[in-house]
């Protein structure tokens, strides 16, 4: 009887495991996830006087770091560190409202356009956002440190967008965009020819090394 009981108990465990697996994998038992967006404030719509022309986009994978070190009476209590990585799209535009200088000399058109500006706030893709945080050996503030790092991302991205390196990367693509924009206007309004003999030169206000672009 003892042997029969042990064999029966084993089969019972197997049957329960099979039944549990079937229940778990059954489509009828799949979990239902609902996402609700709560809008507590009325959206504010602001007009952009004159409009903007988006001229370039710089894509980058940015990394943010924040460390917090603490001591107590000369005793080192460790360093809490947090990291965030995220794909970023820096977009640049020029304003259409300011007056543009356009001078046509024969088959050459010289355009002095407004300066390139970053579009703020900078956009980043949270779908691929990665973050990591770890307490120091005697610390319990890793979540607070990560939250502070997340709050610093928007102003830090604004600084990076206006940095000379990124502005330089955006300048030549922006110049080509403005050239195409002006050429279409010239063809329509000035019967400009679409051939290599007709050239459009674009200069942005504030371009380094350019004293008098119309000469």
């Amino acid at each position: 009887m003892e042997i029969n009981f042990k064999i029966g108990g084993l089969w019972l465990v197997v049957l329960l495991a099979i039944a549990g697996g079937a229940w778990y994998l059954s489509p009828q038992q799949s979990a239902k996830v609902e996402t609700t967006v709560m809008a507590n404030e009325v959206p504010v719509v602001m007009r952009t006087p004159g409009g903007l022309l988006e001229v370039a986009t710089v894509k980058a994978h940015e990394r943010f770091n924040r460390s917090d070190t603490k001591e107590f009476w000369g005793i080192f209590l460790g360093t809490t560190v947090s990291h965030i990585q995220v794909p970023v799209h820096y977009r640049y535009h020029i304003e259409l409202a300011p007056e543009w200088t356009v001078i046509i000399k024969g088959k050459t058109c010289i355009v002095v356009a407004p300066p390139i500006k970053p579009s703020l706030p900078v956009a980043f893709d949270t779908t691929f956002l990665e973050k990591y945080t770890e307490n120091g050996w005697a610390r319990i503030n890793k979540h607070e440190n990560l939250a502070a790092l997340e709050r610093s991302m928007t102003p830090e991205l604004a600084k990076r967008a206006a940095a000379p390196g990124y502005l330089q990367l955006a300048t030549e693509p922006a110049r080509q965009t403005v050239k195409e924009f002006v050429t279409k206007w010239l063809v329509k309004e000035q019967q400009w020819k679409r051939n290599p003999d007709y050239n459009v030169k674009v200069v942005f206000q504030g371009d380094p090394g350019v004293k008098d672009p119309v000469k």
Side-chain angles (χ1 to χ4, degrees), residues 53-56 58 90-93 116-119 161 166-167 170:
L53 176 63
E54 186 170 300
V55 292
V58 176
Y90 295 102
R91 290 183 168 87
Y92 295 87
H93 68 268
I116 303 171
K117 297 180 179 180
S119 300
Y166 280 137
L167 282 172

Side-chain angles (χ1 to χ4, degrees), residues 18 23 25 62 92 126 133 173 182 215:
I18 294 174
W23 179 86
L25 297 175
E62 297 287 20
Y92 295 87
T126 57
T133 187
V182 173
K215 287 186 180 182

Side-chain angles (χ1 to χ4, degrees), residues 13-190:
V13 172
V14 172
L15 290 174
L16 288 175
I18 294 174
W23 179 86
Y24 181 78
L25 297 175
S26 173
Q28 288 79 10
Q29 301 299 329
S30 60
K32 184 178 181 181
V33 179
E34 294 184 355
T35 301
T36 303
V37 178
M38 303 297 293
N40 296 323
E41 297 182 1
V42 178
V44 177
V45 180
M46 301 178 66
R47 191 177 76 86
T48 302
L52 304 174
L53 176 63
E54 186 170 300
V55 292
T57 300
V58 176
K59 297 181 180 180
H61 199 86
E62 297 287 20
R63 181 181 176 90
F64 303 86
N65 303 293
R66 188 178 193 273
S67 60
D68 178 44
T69 301
K70 191 171 184 178
E71 293 184 359
F72 180 74
W73 287 73
I75 301 174
F76 177 64
L77 299 180
T79 300
T80 297
V81 294
S82 301
H83 309 290
I84 295 178
Q85 293 186 118
V86 66
V88 175
H89 290 192
Y90 295 102
R91 290 183 168 87
Y92 295 87
H93 68 268
I94 57 176
E95 298 176 355
L96 294 175
E99 185 175 300
W100 292 33
T101 300
V102 179
I103 298 177
I104 299 176
K105 294 183 177 180
K107 297 180 179 180
T108 300
C109 176
I110 302 173
V111 181
V112 182
I116 303 171
K117 297 180 179 180
S119 300
L120 302 176
V122 176
F124 54 89
D125 190 351
T126 57
T127 305
F128 301 99
L129 184 145
E130 300 177 14
K131 52 187 176 181
Y132 167 81
T133 187
E134 183 180 34
N135 284 319
W137 74 270
R139 311 291 302 281
I140 55 171
N141 66 327
K142 66 178 183 179
H143 298 298
E144 293 83 355
N145 194 66
L146 180 62
L149 179 60
E150 291 174 332
R151 289 193 297 270
S152 71
M153 287 174 59
T154 295
E156 176 61 27
L157 285 171
K159 292 179 182 178
R160 298 186 188 189
Y166 280 137
L167 282 172
Q168 186 176 1
L169 285 174
T171 295
E172 290 311 312
R175 202 185 308 277
Q176 184 62 32
T177 300
V178 175
K179 181 178 179 178
E180 294 172 356
F181 178 77
V182 173
T183 299
K184 290 179 180 178
W185 175 81
L186 290 171
V187 170
K188 181 179 179 181
E189 302 295 335
Q190 303 293 329

